[in-house]
């Protein structure tokens, strides 16, 4: 058996240093950490768990570890309850590990389970190949049973026959003459469904269209809408879990499709009854848990001699033997393309069912919308505009219909304070819209890298500082430098962050918040000019330095380049908007994600309201629409589809906070009463254009930092509200 002494001899360091590295103790240099790590790996040990094994006896504990993606989904909560009931009665202690389908969190769970010396492990794994990952547990002698999902190299698996499911469903749909088929599938690794899809495909003709959309529990409603948009007039929809089937039925109900497709649901509820035009495959997860429990007891020789093995869970098929949309009145709605407005379009058929009013949506890019909508209130074509906090002060006083104050107070009483105080007001104190959606920038970082012992030590040796989440922009640049491989060859990733140089709105407000963070101002409290040239020069130089550590993005066709880079493992830290944060909840990097407020004194909150232009020919219908869209009742449905409504109830919904945990930061900041800033003295649209243009010239190397500061000072005066 390899000892600490063996590792120390191979690494050429003391046994005490080896112990400190393996146990994350003591003041150990980066070079020693690297030597010990290399030696331990060469000897076949995995750090974080094997050092603990060297100190323990060989006996396993009476612990049974259960690894599940979550227990929010009914099937996993049923499986867990069944396992706990049987195994605790047999004298075992139980420990649950939740992975959120993250391979990173699953590996961490395995390390913990090894240190706990679990007798047996039941795993619904996120890995398609488990041999290397689970090797420490196999070496330990733990019994490992994979359940529900079958990795391709699993030694022991108990679950359902996915091939058989594909065969049953394929034959049923073929017999019904279905040719356009949608599949709303769990986000399980694709290989777990290969047999299912293969058997399904064997039953279909070459002319059959099959569209597949993968989704996790939290994004099911959004993905259901996406699938229905991808396939025109589907004959049938297959949903691989009961939760996905509920989401699909909700979407079909909302959209008001004239002829609803045939639904084939795979559920875990043995008492589910199929509705009209529906079939159900029942998967008994309670029986699955009972069979796994027996396998554990039998393998450990503690099952009663007269106890028979429960039958393997069977697949049971249940079969059962137009939603009308009336169109009377119509309104024209002008919106930007973002997550909230897309969610609004998805849900609009609900409004039509309720009122008979049909919203016709025109969608424009935000920049084009902002620059053109100020002239639209008098045209008479549009009945509803989604105004922006940036553009609203630019509207003439009589351009938008004033909202009745009692109505405004009633609808906004459950809203966060900042959007309620800021979004619906133009140049005066009367509301000319109802707050609809909001966004806030926040910081995301690679939690696994920031907590890595070797990274922490290297950073300290290079900078003399601890590797912590930055609270100042100067600290942030040190971290970005450290994680840029062209500068620091030992960086595990390519870039510190993503640098955006051509999107003028983003860079204008980034400059503003960096400038305000220094304590400098554009104006005094009395409105007199107070631009600090030297402070601006320092801010601009710091901002320019950041670009050295960035993956530069000049093409802004993607609205989420920072999120895209981060999810792809390309960057260590990003400033991102909640408007484009949804991919974070779906990414495999989810378990490695940390988030915090940005290093600034003012929160960067944006968003808008729904307003009625004075020229609208259907003001009464338009008012009904914005009352409905901005109501508290619509907050949760909009949020589940990726929107960002402004009602407090959204931030108290368990499912939404589980899906988007960073929203807790937004609630804390956005529920403060809005305090006026120097931005309120500016025409924000002109500020974006002028200051953003100056910064673009700076980043393009056309002007110096000194010239940029002087140019921005002139820009500020030029866009000051009269």
């Amino acid at each position: 058996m390899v000892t600490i002494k063996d590792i120390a001899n191979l690494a050429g360091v003391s046994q005490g240093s080896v112990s400190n590295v393996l146990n994350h103790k003591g003041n150990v240099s980066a070079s020693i950490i690297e030597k010990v790590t290399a030696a331990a790996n060469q000897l076949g040990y995995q750090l974080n768990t094997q050092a603990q094994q060297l100190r323990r006896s060989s006996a396993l504990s009476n612990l049974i570890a259960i690894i599940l993606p979550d227990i929010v989904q009914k099937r996993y909560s049923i499986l867990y309850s069944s396992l706990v009931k049987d195994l605790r009665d047999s004298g075992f202690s139980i420990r649950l590990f939740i992975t959120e389908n993250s391979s990173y969190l699953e590996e961490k769970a395995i390390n913990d389970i090894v240190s706990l010396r679990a007798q047996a492990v039941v795993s619904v794994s996120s890995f398609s190949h488990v041999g290397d990952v689970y090797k420490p547990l196999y070496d330990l002698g733990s019994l490992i049973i994979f359940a529900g999902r079958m990795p391709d190299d699993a030694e022991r698996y108990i679950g359902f026959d996915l091939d058989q499911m594909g065969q049953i469903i394929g034959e049923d749909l073929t017999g019904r003459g279905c040719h356009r088929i949608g599949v709303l599938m769990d986000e399980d690794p694709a290989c777990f469904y290969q047999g299912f899809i293969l058997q399904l495909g064997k039953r279909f003709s070459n002319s059959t269209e099959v569209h597949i959309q993968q989704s996790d529990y939290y994004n099911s409603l959004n993905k259901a809408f996406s699938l229905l948009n991808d396939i025109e007039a589907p004959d049938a929809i297959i949903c691989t879990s009961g939760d996905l089937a509920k989401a699909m039925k909700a979407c079909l109900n909302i959209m008001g499709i004239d002829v609803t497709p045939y639904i084939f649901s795979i559920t875990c509820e043995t008492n589910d009854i199929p509705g009209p035009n529906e079939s159900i495959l029942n998967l008994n997860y309670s029986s699955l848990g009972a069979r796994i429990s027996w396998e554990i007891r039998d393998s450990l020789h503690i099952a009663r001699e007269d106890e028979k093995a429960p039958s393997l869970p069977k697949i049971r098929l249940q079969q059962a033997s137009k939603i009308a949309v009336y169109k009377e009145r119509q309104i024209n709605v002008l919106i930007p393309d973002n997550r909230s407005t897309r969610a609004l379009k998805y849900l609009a058929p609900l409004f039509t069912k309720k009122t008979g009013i049909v919203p016709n949506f025109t969608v424009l890019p935000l920049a084009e919308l902002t620059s053109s909508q100020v002239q639209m209130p008098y045209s008479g074509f549009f009945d509803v505009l989604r105004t922006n906090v940036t553009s609203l002060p630019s509207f003439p006083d009589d351009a938008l219909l004033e909202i009745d104050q009692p109505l405004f107070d009633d609808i906004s009483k459950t809203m966060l304070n900042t959007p309620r105080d800021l979004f619906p007001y133009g140049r005066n104190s009367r509301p000319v819209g109802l707050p609809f959606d909001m966004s806030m920038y926040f910081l995301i970082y690679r939690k696994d890298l920031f907590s890595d012992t070797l990274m922490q030590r290297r950073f300290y040796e290079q900078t003399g500082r601890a590797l912590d989440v930055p609270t100042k922009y100067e600290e942030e640049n040190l971290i970005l430098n450290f994680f840029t491989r062209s500068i620091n060859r030992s960086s595990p990733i390519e870039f510190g962050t993503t640098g955006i140089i051509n999107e003028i709105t983003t860079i204008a407000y980034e400059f503003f918040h960096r400038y305000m963070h220094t304590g400098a101002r554009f104006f005094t409290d009395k409105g007199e000019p107070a631009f600090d040239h030297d402070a601006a020069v320092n801010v601009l130089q710091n901002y320019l330095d950041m670009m050295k550590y960035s993956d530069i993005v000049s093409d802004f066709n993607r609205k989420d380049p920072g999120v895209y880079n981060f999810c792809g493992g390309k960057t260590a830290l990003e400033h991102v908007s909640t408007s484009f944060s949804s991919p974070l909840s779906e990414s495999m990097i989810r378990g490695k994600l940390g988030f915090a407020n940005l290093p600034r004194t003012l929160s960067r909150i944006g968003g808008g309201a729904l307003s009625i232009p004075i020229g609208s020919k259907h003001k009464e219908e338009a008012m009904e629409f914005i009352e409905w869209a901005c109501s508290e009742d619509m907050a949760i449905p909009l949020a589940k589809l990726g929107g960002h409504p402004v009602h407090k109830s959204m931030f108290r919904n368990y499912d939404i906070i589980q899906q988007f945990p960073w929203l807790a930061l937004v609630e804390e900041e956005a529920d403060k009463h809005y305090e006026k800033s120097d931005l309120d003295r500016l025409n924000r649209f002109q500020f974006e254009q002028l200051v953003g243009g100056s910064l673009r010239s700076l980043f393009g190397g056309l002007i110096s930092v000194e010239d940029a500061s002087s140019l921005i000072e002139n820009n500020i005066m030029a866009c000051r509200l009269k």
Side-chain angles (χ1 to χ4, degrees):
M1 179 178 179
V2 178
T3 65
I4 287 180
K5 183 177 179 181
D6 297 324
I7 299 174
N9 289 338
L10 182 59
V13 300
S14 70
Q15 294 181 42
S17 293
V18 173
S19 178
N20 284 339
V21 171
L22 297 178
N23 291 286
H24 302 294
K25 294 179 180 178
N27 186 16
V28 187
S29 70
S31 62
I32 290 179
I33 294 173
E34 290 172 334
K35 289 176 181 178
V36 171
T37 302
N41 287 338
Q42 186 175 335
L43 292 171
Y45 279 84
Q46 288 196 346
L47 297 177
N48 303 330
T49 57
Q50 301 297 344
Q52 294 169 340
Q53 290 182 47
L54 291 173
R55 301 195 309 270
R56 289 173 178 245
S57 67
S58 60
L60 296 175
S61 68
N62 74 330
L63 176 73
I64 307 295
I66 301 174
I67 301 175
L68 297 175
D70 60 67
I71 53 171
V72 177
Q73 296 186 68
K74 191 76 172 177
R75 55 183 167 170
Y76 296 136
S77 64
I78 292 173
L79 176 60
Y80 178 70
S81 297
S82 177
L83 288 167
V84 168
K85 178 180 179 298
D86 288 347
L87 293 172
R88 278 192 177 152
D89 289 346
S90 300
F92 293 107
S93 59
I94 309 296
R95 179 80 177 268
L96 173 65
F97 295 85
I98 298 295
T99 67
E100 301 175 10
N101 273 320
S102 163
S103 56
Y104 170 70
L105 292 180
E106 187 170 343
E107 288 190 82
K108 288 190 68 176
I110 292 167
N111 282 341
D112 290 341
I113 294 167
V114 171
S115 68
L116 295 169
R117 305 187 70 79
Q119 184 89 249
V121 180
V122 179
S123 176
V124 179
S125 180
S126 62
F127 288 95
S128 58
H129 183 86
V130 294
D132 294 337
V133 180
Y134 279 77
K135 185 177 185 297
L137 285 169
Y138 283 120
D139 292 344
L140 191 64
S142 300
L143 170 67
I144 304 172
I145 296 177
F146 294 95
R149 303 172 178 172
M150 186 170 66
D152 53 20
D153 59 342
E155 293 184 9
R156 206 159 190 170
Y157 167 77
I158 302 175
F160 302 98
D161 189 336
L162 299 181
D163 290 30
Q164 183 188 4
M165 288 196 303
Q167 181 179 339
I168 292 171
I169 296 174
E171 289 175 352
D172 183 83
L173 297 184
T174 301
R176 294 175 185 273
C178 298
H179 295 288
R180 289 185 301 278
I181 298 166
V183 182
L184 188 60
M185 181 184 292
D186 304 79
E187 68 165 352
D188 297 348
C191 67
F192 296 146
Y193 277 113
Q194 280 180 356
F196 170 73
I197 296 297
L198 179 63
Q199 292 298 325
L200 202 61
K202 285 182 177 179
R203 270 77 192 166
F204 296 149
S205 66
N206 292 334
S207 62
T208 303
E209 294 178 43
V210 179
H211 296 254
I212 298 174
Q213 182 74 249
Q214 284 187 288
S215 174
D216 61 10
Y217 169 80
Y218 297 107
N219 289 290
S220 56
L221 199 61
N222 205 359
K223 297 297 185 179
F225 274 115
S226 297
L227 179 61
L228 291 175
N229 284 334
D230 288 345
I231 181 169
E232 184 179 351
D235 300 318
I237 301 289
I238 303 167
C239 300
T240 63
S241 77
D243 294 308
L244 296 182
K246 289 176 184 176
M248 178 56 67
K249 292 173 187 176
C251 290
L252 291 168
N253 185 45
I254 289 169
M255 295 179 73
I257 296 175
D258 292 332
V259 179
T260 57
Y262 178 70
I263 302 292
F264 211 123
S265 307
I266 302 171
T267 78
C268 61
E269 299 279 8
T270 56
N271 58 351
D272 270 354
I273 299 174
N277 207 30
E278 180 183 15
S279 289
I280 288 176
L281 274 183
N282 293 123
L283 306 182
N284 193 327
Y285 275 80
S286 182
S287 295
L288 176 62
R291 177 59 185 246
I292 293 171
S293 298
W294 181 87
E295 289 280 350
I296 291 173
R297 288 183 281 110
D298 184 62
S299 298
L300 300 178
H301 308 293
I302 59 173
R304 298 191 313 271
E305 290 185 8
D306 60 343
E307 185 180 3
K308 294 182 179 180
S311 300
L312 284 169
K314 290 185 170 57
I315 298 171
R316 187 164 61 95
L317 177 64
Q318 287 184 277
Q319 295 177 304
S321 65
K322 292 180 177 179
I323 305 174
V325 177
Y326 56 97
K327 300 182 179 181
E328 297 177 2
R329 299 170 289 169
Q330 298 190 10
I331 56 173
N332 294 321
V333 182
L334 179 63
I335 55 174
D337 182 19
N338 64 33
R339 292 265 181 174
S340 295
T341 53
R342 276 179 244 164
L344 181 63
K345 286 180 64 180
Y346 282 146
L347 295 170
L350 279 180
F351 175 71
T352 301
K353 284 185 180 182
K354 179 180 178 181
T355 65
I357 301 169
V358 180
N360 299 314
F361 292 96
T362 298
V363 182
L364 292 177
L366 181 59
E368 185 179 336
L369 179 71
T370 303
S371 63
S372 59
Q373 70 176 187
V374 175
Q375 284 75 44
M376 292 180 182
Y378 307 103
S379 69
F381 182 76
F382 287 106
D383 303 296
V384 175
L385 305 176
R386 191 282 199 172
T387 53
N388 190 282
V389 65
T390 299
S391 62
L392 197 55
S394 304
F395 282 84
D397 288 344
D398 65 344
L400 301 171
L401 190 69
E402 185 178 334
I403 305 296
D404 180 64
Q405 192 65 49
L407 172 65
F408 178 84
D409 292 341
D410 182 57
I411 291 179
S412 66
K413 65 186 177 185
T414 56
M415 294 180 178
L416 297 167
N417 285 312
T418 292
R420 184 181 64 198
D421 296 346
L422 175 64
F423 291 3
Y425 298 99
R427 298 184 181 186
N428 51 49
S429 59
R430 300 186 306 275
V432 290
L434 291 175
F436 172 62
D437 65 326
M438 64 174 292
S439 64
M440 190 181 93
Y441 275 77
F442 64 104
L443 183 148
I444 57 175
Y445 63 96
R446 281 284 297 273
K447 184 169 58 177
D448 59 320
L449 297 181
F450 276 66
S451 61
D452 182 86
T453 305
L454 181 57
M455 292 295 104
Q456 291 173 340
R457 186 64 198 184
R458 283 177 177 166
F459 185 77
Y460 179 79
E461 290 178 356
Q462 291 184 23
T463 67
R465 297 169 180 253
L467 180 57
D468 294 324
V469 178
T471 58
K472 298 179 181 179
Y473 289 104
E474 294 77 11
E475 297 171 356
E476 186 175 80
N477 272 5
L478 287 175
I479 293 171
L480 300 181
N481 177 300
F482 176 73
F483 282 116
T484 301
R485 192 177 296 149
S486 61
I487 298 171
N488 176 15
R489 294 181 62 184
S490 63
S491 172
I493 50 180
E494 193 171 356
F495 295 102
T497 190
T498 302
I500 297 168
I501 61 175
N502 274 353
E503 213 291 309
I504 57 176
T505 299
T506 299
I507 59 180
Y509 287 114
E510 182 69 19
F511 166 77
F512 170 76
H513 285 284
R514 287 170 176 263
Y515 177 84
M516 296 298 289
H517 188 65
T518 68
R521 297 280 304 277
F522 290 163
F523 305 101
T524 66
D525 291 339
K526 294 182 179 180
E528 298 169 349
F531 188 83
D532 188 327
H533 177 81
D534 292 338
V537 166
N538 290 334
V539 166
L540 290 169
Q541 187 59 58
N542 180 278
Y543 197 1
L544 195 59
D545 289 343
M546 186 205 81
M547 296 299 173
K548 300 175 186 175
Y549 322 128
S550 304
D551 179 26
I552 300 299
V553 177
S554 56
D555 179 4
F556 208 65
N557 288 328
R558 289 194 66 91
K559 284 294 183 183
D560 56 350
V563 173
Y564 179 78
N565 276 347
F566 188 85
C567 290
K570 199 174 184 179
T571 56
L573 184 151
E574 296 286 354
H575 296 186
V576 301
S577 168
T578 53
S579 295
F580 308 117
S581 62
S582 294
L584 295 173
S585 69
E586 305 170 24
S587 169
M588 290 304 291
I589 211 164
R590 176 172 48 197
K592 305 175 183 179
L593 170 67
F595 51 88
N597 282 316
L598 291 171
R600 54 178 45 131
T601 52
L602 293 173
S603 298
R604 184 173 162 189
I605 294 175
L610 295 181
S611 301
I612 301 173
I614 199 68
S616 167
K617 297 174 183 176
H618 307 96
K619 292 184 178 67
E620 185 176 326
E621 290 85 352
M623 185 60 72
E624 276 193 74
F625 178 74
I626 68 171
E627 284 183 49
W628 169 81
C630 300
S631 67
E632 186 179 25
D633 289 344
M634 294 306 299
I636 302 303
L638 285 166
K640 287 190 173 182
L641 289 172
H644 296 87
V646 298
H647 288 277
K648 296 178 183 179
S649 58
M650 181 187 82
F651 300 93
R652 289 154 176 72
N653 182 278
Y654 177 81
D655 285 348
I656 291 170
I657 295 303
Q658 284 292 104
Q659 184 179 1
F660 308 116
W662 48 88
L663 289 181
L665 300 174
V666 179
E667 181 185 19
E668 180 182 344
E669 292 297 317
D671 205 26
K672 299 174 182 176
H673 282 285
Y674 179 71
E675 296 181 6
K676 287 186 176 293
S677 72
D678 287 352
L679 279 178
D680 295 295
R681 299 184 184 277
L682 302 174
N683 180 313
R684 295 194 186 201
F685 178 66
Q686 290 182 354
F687 171 80
E688 293 172 4
Q689 300 297 309
L690 296 176
V691 173
S694 299
L695 290 166
R696 187 159 54 184
S697 296
L698 172 65
F699 296 145
L702 302 178
I703 58 176
S704 67
V705 168
E706 286 280 347
D707 290 342
S709 178
S710 299
L711 189 55
I712 289 172
E713 182 175 8
N714 293 332
N715 295 156
I716 300 278
M717 295 304 107
C719 59
R720 185 177 180 183
L721 290 172
K722 304 297 188 285

